Amino acid sequence: MTLRTTLRQVALLGAASVALLCASATAQAPKLKVGLMLPYTGTFAALGVAIENGFRLYVGEQGGKLAGRELEFVKVDDESDPAKATDNVNKLIKRDNVDVIVGTVHSGVAMAMAKAAKDNGTLLIVPNAGADAVTGPMCANHIFRSSFSNWQPAYAMGEVAAKRGAKKAVTITWKYAAGDESVKGFREAFEKGGGQVVRELNLPFPNVEFQALLTEIASLKPDAVYTFFAGAGAVKFVKDYAAAGLKKTIPLYGAGFLTDGTLEAQGADADGLLTTLHYGDSLNTPRDNAFRLEYAKAYKLQPDVYAVQGYDAAQMLAIGLKAVNGDLGKKAEFAAAVEKAKIDSPRGAFTLGKNHNPVQDIYLRQVVGKENKVIGVASKQLADPGRGCRM
Ligand code: BEZ
């Protein structure tokens, strides 16, 4: 054996052991710990389940791994209770040491989560809660939203109501951040369009004793009613509005949560209602059709906006993770990748604004049977103003 042959064999052996070492390092990449903080009980329980379903569907489509890392889920039921939110989120951050938190539905809970995420530098992806502050004064380079801000669908509906000729409107909602901000967004556009909000009616979250307030609406006789309710509360409100005889006389407009994921239970009482949202049931695009088919196959259910937001939260995580090769320590690179991405959502592709909130079309939908049928685009590529966000 010549010296040259021996040297070549040594070099080959070296290369083989490096390859082996790399392979075992990849095999040993620790699982990515995902903290799912969502409501699994209470009025928003179905919303939490749909978000988790959507998230898992995307991960399943990627073979169960994102950027080569398997996922491990730690789940907390936040009960949509802001009083328990700080303890709940700290369990995920400090006890379970999660790498990323995905949550939640309720705006009040989400604000506590955003504070904890900021204090601890934990990556947070919000798959529903619209709290304006999360992408406003609380914005941060490691906080993202895959859903909407409360301002977005409300502002779009304010424009629609004014264009449809309503002059005097009454609003009715739960007294908490999402309800307040939704009404504020509606009022901003409605009054800009020449209308006037003559009364704001409220009840505490998650109460559903609507009767006294419906009687007040009947005596005020506005041209339109604007509302924000969601989940089980939305089911009861739509049924009570019809039972009070108001549906026949005063048009009811809503942020689309009023009729999303709720139509089976609302039945004919929802028929014809107009709402605004960043998703609808009849988009009929190849992307949405494929998503709906896979979702229905996996869960034997039709998807709703919450499922889409969960799916897109997983897509955003995947985009960032891929850019940093699975290393979530590289926060700036993660953020840069998600900021410049076009997210291939079933709702239609969207990008994020500087404040990390989706810039997206807000559809005008009308309930036809069991569908939120898209009948137009109420506001094209609507960006949340991100008031107070300094990044
Ligand atoms: C919220 O609290 O932000 C919210 C809850 C349910 C649906 C939409 C928004």
mmCIF file with all atom_site columns, all heavy atoms in Angstrom, residues 10 25 72-73 105 124 127 154 169 190 239 242 254-255 264 283 294 336 379:
data_model
loop_
_atom_site.group_PDB
_atom_site.id
_atom_site.type_symbol
_atom_site.label_atom_id
_atom_site.label_alt_id
_atom_site.label_comp_id
_atom_site.label_asym_id
_atom_site.label_entity_id
_atom_site.label_seq_id
_atom_site.pdbx_PDB_ins_code
_atom_site.Cartn_x
_atom_site.Cartn_y
_atom_site.Cartn_z
_atom_site.occupancy
_atom_site.B_iso_or_equiv
_atom_site.pdbx_formal_charge
_atom_site.auth_seq_id
_atom_site.auth_comp_id
_atom_site.auth_asym_id
_atom_site.auth_atom_id
_atom_site.pdbx_PDB_model_num
ATOM 1   N N   . VAL A 1 10  ? -7.373  7.387  5.235  1.00 0.00 ? 10  VAL A N   1
ATOM 2   C CA  . VAL A 1 10  ? -7.542  8.129  6.500  1.00 0.00 ? 10  VAL A CA  1
ATOM 3   C C   . VAL A 1 10  ? -8.522  9.281  6.295  1.00 0.00 ? 10  VAL A C   1
ATOM 4   O O   . VAL A 1 10  ? -9.445  9.515  7.092  1.00 0.00 ? 10  VAL A O   1
ATOM 5   C CB  . VAL A 1 10  ? -6.169  8.648  7.019  1.00 0.00 ? 10  VAL A CB  1
ATOM 6   C CG1 . VAL A 1 10  ? -6.363  9.629  8.180  1.00 0.00 ? 10  VAL A CG1 1
ATOM 7   C CG2 . VAL A 1 10  ? -5.311  7.493  7.463  1.00 0.00 ? 10  VAL A CG2 1
ATOM 8   N N   . ALA A 1 25  ? -26.077 14.117 15.627 1.00 0.00 ? 25  ALA A N   1
ATOM 9   C CA  . ALA A 1 25  ? -26.461 15.398 16.242 1.00 0.00 ? 25  ALA A CA  1
ATOM 10  C C   . ALA A 1 25  ? -27.875 15.767 15.817 1.00 0.00 ? 25  ALA A C   1
ATOM 11  O O   . ALA A 1 25  ? -28.689 16.210 16.626 1.00 0.00 ? 25  ALA A O   1
ATOM 12  C CB  . ALA A 1 25  ? -25.478 16.485 15.828 1.00 0.00 ? 25  ALA A CB  1
ATOM 13  N N   . GLU A 1 72  ? -43.202 18.764 20.819 1.00 0.00 ? 72  GLU A N   1
ATOM 14  C CA  . GLU A 1 72  ? -43.835 18.202 22.018 1.00 0.00 ? 72  GLU A CA  1
ATOM 15  C C   . GLU A 1 72  ? -44.797 19.279 22.523 1.00 0.00 ? 72  GLU A C   1
ATOM 16  O O   . GLU A 1 72  ? -44.419 20.450 22.623 1.00 0.00 ? 72  GLU A O   1
ATOM 17  C CB  . GLU A 1 72  ? -42.739 17.946 23.060 1.00 0.00 ? 72  GLU A CB  1
ATOM 18  C CG  . GLU A 1 72  ? -43.259 17.473 24.381 1.00 0.00 ? 72  GLU A CG  1
ATOM 19  C CD  . GLU A 1 72  ? -42.127 17.388 25.426 1.00 0.00 ? 72  GLU A CD  1
ATOM 20  O OE1 . GLU A 1 72  ? -40.925 17.428 25.058 1.00 0.00 ? 72  GLU A OE1 1
ATOM 21  O OE2 . GLU A 1 72  ? -42.486 17.309 26.607 1.00 0.00 ? 72  GLU A OE2 1
ATOM 22  N N   . PHE A 1 73  ? -46.035 18.902 22.812 1.00 0.00 ? 73  PHE A N   1
ATOM 23  C CA  . PHE A 1 73  ? -47.020 19.907 23.221 1.00 0.00 ? 73  PHE A CA  1
ATOM 24  C C   . PHE A 1 73  ? -47.252 19.861 24.726 1.00 0.00 ? 73  PHE A C   1
ATOM 25  O O   . PHE A 1 73  ? -47.357 18.784 25.314 1.00 0.00 ? 73  PHE A O   1
ATOM 26  C CB  . PHE A 1 73  ? -48.352 19.660 22.505 1.00 0.00 ? 73  PHE A CB  1
ATOM 27  C CG  . PHE A 1 73  ? -48.290 19.938 21.021 1.00 0.00 ? 73  PHE A CG  1
ATOM 28  C CD1 . PHE A 1 73  ? -48.092 18.903 20.113 1.00 0.00 ? 73  PHE A CD1 1
ATOM 29  C CD2 . PHE A 1 73  ? -48.406 21.230 20.534 1.00 0.00 ? 73  PHE A CD2 1
ATOM 30  C CE1 . PHE A 1 73  ? -48.020 19.148 18.743 1.00 0.00 ? 73  PHE A CE1 1
ATOM 31  C CE2 . PHE A 1 73  ? -48.335 21.493 19.167 1.00 0.00 ? 73  PHE A CE2 1
ATOM 32  C CZ  . PHE A 1 73  ? -48.145 20.444 18.274 1.00 0.00 ? 73  PHE A CZ  1
ATOM 33  N N   . VAL A 1 105 ? -57.274 32.921 22.874 1.00 0.00 ? 105 VAL A N   1
ATOM 34  C CA  . VAL A 1 105 ? -58.494 33.434 22.244 1.00 0.00 ? 105 VAL A CA  1
ATOM 35  C C   . VAL A 1 105 ? -58.924 34.772 22.851 1.00 0.00 ? 105 VAL A C   1
ATOM 36  O O   . VAL A 1 105 ? -59.251 35.718 22.137 1.00 0.00 ? 105 VAL A O   1
ATOM 37  C CB  . VAL A 1 105 ? -59.635 32.393 22.389 1.00 0.00 ? 105 VAL A CB  1
ATOM 38  C CG1 . VAL A 1 105 ? -60.982 32.998 22.010 1.00 0.00 ? 105 VAL A CG1 1
ATOM 39  C CG2 . VAL A 1 105 ? -59.341 31.175 21.517 1.00 0.00 ? 105 VAL A CG2 1
ATOM 40  N N   . LEU A 1 124 ? -43.876 34.305 21.280 1.00 0.00 ? 124 LEU A N   1
ATOM 41  C CA  . LEU A 1 124 ? -45.336 34.176 21.431 1.00 0.00 ? 124 LEU A CA  1
ATOM 42  C C   . LEU A 1 124 ? -46.003 34.360 20.068 1.00 0.00 ? 124 LEU A C   1
ATOM 43  O O   . LEU A 1 124 ? -45.731 35.340 19.369 1.00 0.00 ? 124 LEU A O   1
ATOM 44  C CB  . LEU A 1 124 ? -45.854 35.245 22.409 1.00 0.00 ? 124 LEU A CB  1
ATOM 45  C CG  . LEU A 1 124 ? -47.383 35.412 22.519 1.00 0.00 ? 124 LEU A CG  1
ATOM 46  C CD1 . LEU A 1 124 ? -48.048 34.160 23.107 1.00 0.00 ? 124 LEU A CD1 1
ATOM 47  C CD2 . LEU A 1 124 ? -47.736 36.632 23.375 1.00 0.00 ? 124 LEU A CD2 1
ATOM 48  N N   . PRO A 1 127 ? -52.892 33.212 18.110 1.00 0.00 ? 127 PRO A N   1
ATOM 49  C CA  . PRO A 1 127 ? -53.679 32.646 17.016 1.00 0.00 ? 127 PRO A CA  1
ATOM 50  C C   . PRO A 1 127 ? -55.134 33.100 16.999 1.00 0.00 ? 127 PRO A C   1
ATOM 51  O O   . PRO A 1 127 ? -55.928 32.553 16.236 1.00 0.00 ? 127 PRO A O   1
ATOM 52  C CB  . PRO A 1 127 ? -53.601 31.148 17.305 1.00 0.00 ? 127 PRO A CB  1
ATOM 53  C CG  . PRO A 1 127 ? -53.608 31.095 18.809 1.00 0.00 ? 127 PRO A CG  1
ATOM 54  C CD  . PRO A 1 127 ? -52.929 32.347 19.303 1.00 0.00 ? 127 PRO A CD  1
ATOM 55  N N   . ALA A 1 154 ? -64.008 45.303 12.663 1.00 0.00 ? 154 ALA A N   1
ATOM 56  C CA  . ALA A 1 154 ? -64.958 46.298 13.153 1.00 0.00 ? 154 ALA A CA  1
ATOM 57  C C   . ALA A 1 154 ? -64.934 47.545 12.276 1.00 0.00 ? 154 ALA A C   1
ATOM 58  O O   . ALA A 1 154 ? -65.985 48.081 11.892 1.00 0.00 ? 154 ALA A O   1
ATOM 59  C CB  . ALA A 1 154 ? -64.615 46.660 14.597 1.00 0.00 ? 154 ALA A CB  1
ATOM 60  N N   . ALA A 1 169 ? -76.818 54.114 14.916 1.00 0.00 ? 169 ALA A N   1
ATOM 61  C CA  . ALA A 1 169 ? -76.563 52.717 15.299 1.00 0.00 ? 169 ALA A CA  1
ATOM 62  C C   . ALA A 1 169 ? -76.448 52.599 16.811 1.00 0.00 ? 169 ALA A C   1
ATOM 63  O O   . ALA A 1 169 ? -76.023 53.529 17.497 1.00 0.00 ? 169 ALA A O   1
ATOM 64  C CB  . ALA A 1 169 ? -75.272 52.232 14.652 1.00 0.00 ? 169 ALA A CB  1
ATOM 65  N N   . PHE A 1 190 ? -67.760 54.280 11.065 1.00 0.00 ? 190 PHE A N   1
ATOM 66  C CA  . PHE A 1 190 ? -69.178 54.611 10.862 1.00 0.00 ? 190 PHE A CA  1
ATOM 67  C C   . PHE A 1 190 ? -69.378 56.134 10.958 1.00 0.00 ? 190 PHE A C   1
ATOM 68  O O   . PHE A 1 190 ? -70.087 56.724 10.136 1.00 0.00 ? 190 PHE A O   1
ATOM 69  C CB  . PHE A 1 190 ? -70.019 53.889 11.929 1.00 0.00 ? 190 PHE A CB  1
ATOM 70  C CG  . PHE A 1 190 ? -71.496 54.022 11.762 1.00 0.00 ? 190 PHE A CG  1
ATOM 71  C CD1 . PHE A 1 190 ? -72.132 53.612 10.590 1.00 0.00 ? 190 PHE A CD1 1
ATOM 72  C CD2 . PHE A 1 190 ? -72.285 54.544 12.784 1.00 0.00 ? 190 PHE A CD2 1
ATOM 73  C CE1 . PHE A 1 190 ? -73.521 53.734 10.442 1.00 0.00 ? 190 PHE A CE1 1
ATOM 74  C CE2 . PHE A 1 190 ? -73.662 54.663 12.649 1.00 0.00 ? 190 PHE A CE2 1
ATOM 75  C CZ  . PHE A 1 190 ? -74.279 54.253 11.472 1.00 0.00 ? 190 PHE A CZ  1
ATOM 76  N N   . LYS A 1 239 ? -79.902 33.984 18.563 1.00 0.00 ? 239 LYS A N   1
ATOM 77  C CA  . LYS A 1 239 ? -81.212 33.350 18.790 1.00 0.00 ? 239 LYS A CA  1
ATOM 78  C C   . LYS A 1 239 ? -82.139 34.311 19.557 1.00 0.00 ? 239 LYS A C   1
ATOM 79  O O   . LYS A 1 239 ? -83.318 34.465 19.223 1.00 0.00 ? 239 LYS A O   1
ATOM 80  C CB  . LYS A 1 239 ? -81.052 32.025 19.552 1.00 0.00 ? 239 LYS A CB  1
ATOM 81  C CG  . LYS A 1 239 ? -80.333 30.957 18.713 1.00 0.00 ? 239 LYS A CG  1
ATOM 82  C CD  . LYS A 1 239 ? -80.360 29.581 19.313 1.00 0.00 ? 239 LYS A CD  1
ATOM 83  C CE  . LYS A 1 239 ? -81.463 28.686 18.799 1.00 0.00 ? 239 LYS A CE  1
ATOM 84  N NZ  . LYS A 1 239 ? -81.692 28.653 17.377 1.00 0.00 ? 239 LYS A NZ  1
ATOM 85  N N   . ALA A 1 242 ? -83.423 37.241 17.349 1.00 0.00 ? 242 ALA A N   1
ATOM 86  C CA  . ALA A 1 242 ? -84.541 36.821 16.483 1.00 0.00 ? 242 ALA A CA  1
ATOM 87  C C   . ALA A 1 242 ? -85.808 36.617 17.312 1.00 0.00 ? 242 ALA A C   1
ATOM 88  O O   . ALA A 1 242 ? -86.895 37.067 16.925 1.00 0.00 ? 242 ALA A O   1
ATOM 89  C CB  . ALA A 1 242 ? -84.163 35.543 15.736 1.00 0.00 ? 242 ALA A CB  1
ATOM 90  N N   . GLY A 1 254 ? -72.363 42.440 12.364 1.00 0.00 ? 254 GLY A N   1
ATOM 91  C CA  . GLY A 1 254 ? -71.404 41.973 13.368 1.00 0.00 ? 254 GLY A CA  1
ATOM 92  C C   . GLY A 1 254 ? -70.004 41.813 12.833 1.00 0.00 ? 254 GLY A C   1
ATOM 93  O O   . GLY A 1 254 ? -69.793 41.628 11.631 1.00 0.00 ? 254 GLY A O   1
ATOM 94  N N   . ALA A 1 255 ? -69.033 41.849 13.750 1.00 0.00 ? 255 ALA A N   1
ATOM 95  C CA  . ALA A 1 255 ? -67.721 41.300 13.429 1.00 0.00 ? 255 ALA A CA  1
ATOM 96  C C   . ALA A 1 255 ? -68.001 39.811 13.204 1.00 0.00 ? 255 ALA A C   1
ATOM 97  O O   . ALA A 1 255 ? -68.843 39.222 13.896 1.00 0.00 ? 255 ALA A O   1
ATOM 98  C CB  . ALA A 1 255 ? -66.767 41.514 14.591 1.00 0.00 ? 255 ALA A CB  1
ATOM 99  N N   . GLU A 1 264 ? -74.343 25.915 12.862 1.00 0.00 ? 264 GLU A N   1
ATOM 100 C CA  . GLU A 1 264 ? -75.127 24.688 13.159 1.00 0.00 ? 264 GLU A CA  1
ATOM 101 C C   . GLU A 1 264 ? -76.104 24.977 14.298 1.00 0.00 ? 264 GLU A C   1
ATOM 102 O O   . GLU A 1 264 ? -77.274 24.606 14.249 1.00 0.00 ? 264 GLU A O   1
ATOM 103 C CB  . GLU A 1 264 ? -74.194 23.549 13.597 1.00 0.00 ? 264 GLU A CB  1
ATOM 104 C CG  . GLU A 1 264 ? -73.432 22.879 12.478 1.00 0.00 ? 264 GLU A CG  1
ATOM 105 C CD  . GLU A 1 264 ? -74.336 22.122 11.509 1.00 0.00 ? 264 GLU A CD  1
ATOM 106 O OE1 . GLU A 1 264 ? -75.420 21.681 11.921 1.00 0.00 ? 264 GLU A OE1 1
ATOM 107 O OE2 . GLU A 1 264 ? -73.954 22.003 10.329 1.00 0.00 ? 264 GLU A OE2 1
ATOM 108 N N   . LEU A 1 283 ? -64.756 30.769 -0.291 1.00 0.00 ? 283 LEU A N   1
ATOM 109 C CA  . LEU A 1 283 ? -63.702 31.457 -1.051 1.00 0.00 ? 283 LEU A CA  1
ATOM 110 C C   . LEU A 1 283 ? -63.445 30.740 -2.362 1.00 0.00 ? 283 LEU A C   1
ATOM 111 O O   . LEU A 1 283 ? -63.137 31.347 -3.379 1.00 0.00 ? 283 LEU A O   1
ATOM 112 C CB  . LEU A 1 283 ? -62.417 31.526 -0.225 1.00 0.00 ? 283 LEU A CB  1
ATOM 113 C CG  . LEU A 1 283 ? -62.478 32.490 0.967  1.00 0.00 ? 283 LEU A CG  1
ATOM 114 C CD1 . LEU A 1 283 ? -61.233 32.350 1.833  1.00 0.00 ? 283 LEU A CD1 1
ATOM 115 C CD2 . LEU A 1 283 ? -62.624 33.926 0.488  1.00 0.00 ? 283 LEU A CD2 1
ATOM 116 N N   . GLU A 1 294 ? -58.641 18.661 3.678  1.00 0.00 ? 294 GLU A N   1
ATOM 117 C CA  . GLU A 1 294 ? -57.753 17.982 4.642  1.00 0.00 ? 294 GLU A CA  1
ATOM 118 C C   . GLU A 1 294 ? -58.300 18.107 6.062  1.00 0.00 ? 294 GLU A C   1
ATOM 119 O O   . GLU A 1 294 ? -58.241 17.177 6.858  1.00 0.00 ? 294 GLU A O   1
ATOM 120 C CB  . GLU A 1 294 ? -56.328 18.583 4.580  1.00 0.00 ? 294 GLU A CB  1
ATOM 121 C CG  . GLU A 1 294 ? -55.563 18.207 3.325  1.00 0.00 ? 294 GLU A CG  1
ATOM 122 C CD  . GLU A 1 294 ? -55.601 16.714 3.037  1.00 0.00 ? 294 GLU A CD  1
ATOM 123 O OE1 . GLU A 1 294 ? -55.279 15.922 3.939  1.00 0.00 ? 294 GLU A OE1 1
ATOM 124 O OE2 . GLU A 1 294 ? -55.975 16.331 1.917  1.00 0.00 ? 294 GLU A OE2 1
ATOM 125 N N   . ALA A 1 336 ? -36.930 38.520 11.244 1.00 0.00 ? 336 ALA A N   1
ATOM 126 C CA  . ALA A 1 336 ? -36.713 39.044 9.883  1.00 0.00 ? 336 ALA A CA  1
ATOM 127 C C   . ALA A 1 336 ? -37.357 38.120 8.852  1.00 0.00 ? 336 ALA A C   1
ATOM 128 O O   . ALA A 1 336 ? -37.967 38.584 7.882  1.00 0.00 ? 336 ALA A O   1
ATOM 129 C CB  . ALA A 1 336 ? -35.217 39.190 9.621  1.00 0.00 ? 336 ALA A CB  1
ATOM 130 N N   . SER A 1 379 ? -62.967 45.530 2.819  1.00 0.00 ? 379 SER A N   1
ATOM 131 C CA  . SER A 1 379 ? -61.785 46.393 2.920  1.00 0.00 ? 379 SER A CA  1
ATOM 132 C C   . SER A 1 379 ? -60.570 45.611 2.427  1.00 0.00 ? 379 SER A C   1
ATOM 133 O O   . SER A 1 379 ? -60.244 44.560 2.961  1.00 0.00 ? 379 SER A O   1
ATOM 134 C CB  . SER A 1 379 ? -61.604 46.809 4.378  1.00 0.00 ? 379 SER A CB  1
ATOM 135 O OG  . SER A 1 379 ? -60.863 47.984 4.438  1.00 0.00 ? 379 SER A OG  1
#
